[in-house]
Amino acid sequence: MSFVTHLEAAIDGTRLDHNQLQTLHDGRPLWVRYDLEAVGSAMSKEAVAGREPTMWRYKELLPVADESKVASLGEGMSPLLKCDRLGAALGLNDLWVKDESQLPTGSFKSRGLAMAVSRANELGVSRVAIPTAGNAGGAMAAYAARVGMEAFVFMPADTPIVNQYEASYYGANAFLVDGLITDCGAVVRDGTPHMGWFDVSTLKEPYRIEGKKTMGLELAEQLGWALPDVVMYPTGGGTGLIGMWKAFAELGELGWLEDSRRPRMVSCQADGCAPISNAWEKGERFAEPFPNPTTAASGLRVPAAVGDFMILDAVNESGGQARACPENSLLEWARRGAALEGIAFAPEAGACLGVLEMLVAEKAIDPNERVVVFNTGAAQKYVEVMGTSPLSQLPDPVDWRALAT
Ligand SMILES: *Cc1c(COP(=O)(O)O)cnc(C)c1O
């Protein structure tokens, strides 16, 4: 059973039936709404604490009704790691990293796609398609394989090489498109009437947000049902930031949080693709498409986000910011973070660290505040990035003598 009551259009509040496949309303995303009072009677912190360490431990707050339809590879309950060395490098005393690099398919996309594919499976879908800037395609392909669904993945020709390989490795029909993720989206749109695909593009179906919401639920549980002062989130389509803000609201309504404090949500982008931070700096609710987007943080290479207003509303309600850091700063910080803490920082998380450096310098964050950075993917999926720094040009073995002290 599920506690979902209906879907709600984010742009105008229209109610829609959750027992049918839904996409956008008026070109904009949908919220999943629950009977939170019933959830509150059915679910307790003690019961949750005794369950499997996956995102499905919060099942009463999730939309799948029939557990036999769940597509799972054991995703969720990622480690929350205290990072004192990296904190010191950034001038912070209470820095934590929520490390999503260990999730199935090497990124947090597994949370959203596990949920979207599970719900599609429950509603009778047998063919899914996705435009992707990188990790979403591999994740969708893996979860589709897990439940025997046919998968079609469309990605820009300059998508990181591991992403190009992994989708077809998991059995999907994978295609390279000469263009951006928005061009891939157009291919899926055009093909849908002919192919009968269900389009699981970011925020075009309602359930990926619910999967990503579990990051916020886990964060609260791992911190003893309290929340940090600041959350740093690398924003592409914004699903995770939107989802976590929704998680905090739902937990607040359930009365599960220790106090009324909510984190300042910081949306982090790269200066080579910064539509959300541009809109935030201009005080706008909708973002202009970003021209010629370029960044090695492929998950952030989203020039136009259909949920732009949902990201910006969450950032503003939280008292946070939407900012972008220089490309060289994100590459440098990802590498420094990896070397200081042993965490496989993806370049997207490097953008969080780069923006964090800026905010500490501007005194927008106090050194004693509790800050949580999301490392959304595994460095191993970005072999191009790992290989382009001079540091990673490995020396001849005889050169170890040069390092002797
Ligand atoms: C997709 C992706 C992002 C952006 O996530 P959104 O929730 O779509 O904003 C960040 N980091 C990585 C590694 C990604 O794959």
Side-chain angles (χ1 to χ4, degrees), residues 30 111 119 135 151 200 224 247 265 286 296 319 363 371:
L30 307 177
R111 293 180 188 268
R119 270 300 278 164
N135 293 317
V200 296
M265 304 297 287
F286 297 95
K363 302 203 186 310
V371 178

Side-chain angles (χ1 to χ4, degrees), residues 294-352:
T294 44
T295 170
S298 49
L300 309 186
R301 208 158 67 113
V302 180
V306 67
D308 49 3
F309 65 107
M310 298 158 87
I311 304 169
L312 288 157
D313 286 355
V315 165
N316 288 325
E317 276 169 33
S318 75
Q321 301 198 24
R323 300 291 295 273
C325 78
E327 182 76 6
N328 58 5
S329 162
L330 75 88
L331 293 172
E332 169 75 20
W333 273 111
R335 177 169 293 277
R336 259 181 98 180
L340 284 169
E341 299 286 356
I343 295 171
F345 280 105
E348 289 83 352
C352 294

Side-chain angles (χ1 to χ4, degrees), residues 100 106-110 132-136 163 181 202-203 208 212 215 233-243 267-269 297-302 305 311 346-349 352 374-378 381-382:
E100 300 277 299
S107 90
F108 76 152
K109 287 293 192 301
S110 50
T132 176
N135 293 317
N163 296 135
I181 185 172
T202 304
L203 297 172
R208 278 173 70 181
K212 291 264 190 95
M215 293 188 290
Y233 184 80
T235 303
T239 328
L241 190 148
I242 295 167
S267 160
C268 306
Q269 298 191 308
S298 49
L300 309 186
R301 208 158 67 113
V302 180
I311 304 169
E348 289 83 352
C352 294
F374 275 79
N375 179 33
T376 47
K381 298 194 80 176
Y382 302 79

Side-chain angles (χ1 to χ4, degrees), residues 368-399:
N368 292 318
E369 286 192 297
R370 175 164 290 176
V371 178
V372 174
V373 168
F374 275 79
N375 179 33
T376 47
Q380 293 89 328
K381 298 194 80 176
Y382 302 79
V383 287
E384 300 91 336
V385 171
M386 293 175 89
T388 48
S389 157
L391 260 177
S392 68
Q393 305 305 308
L394 303 184
D396 197 281
V398 299
D399 289 350

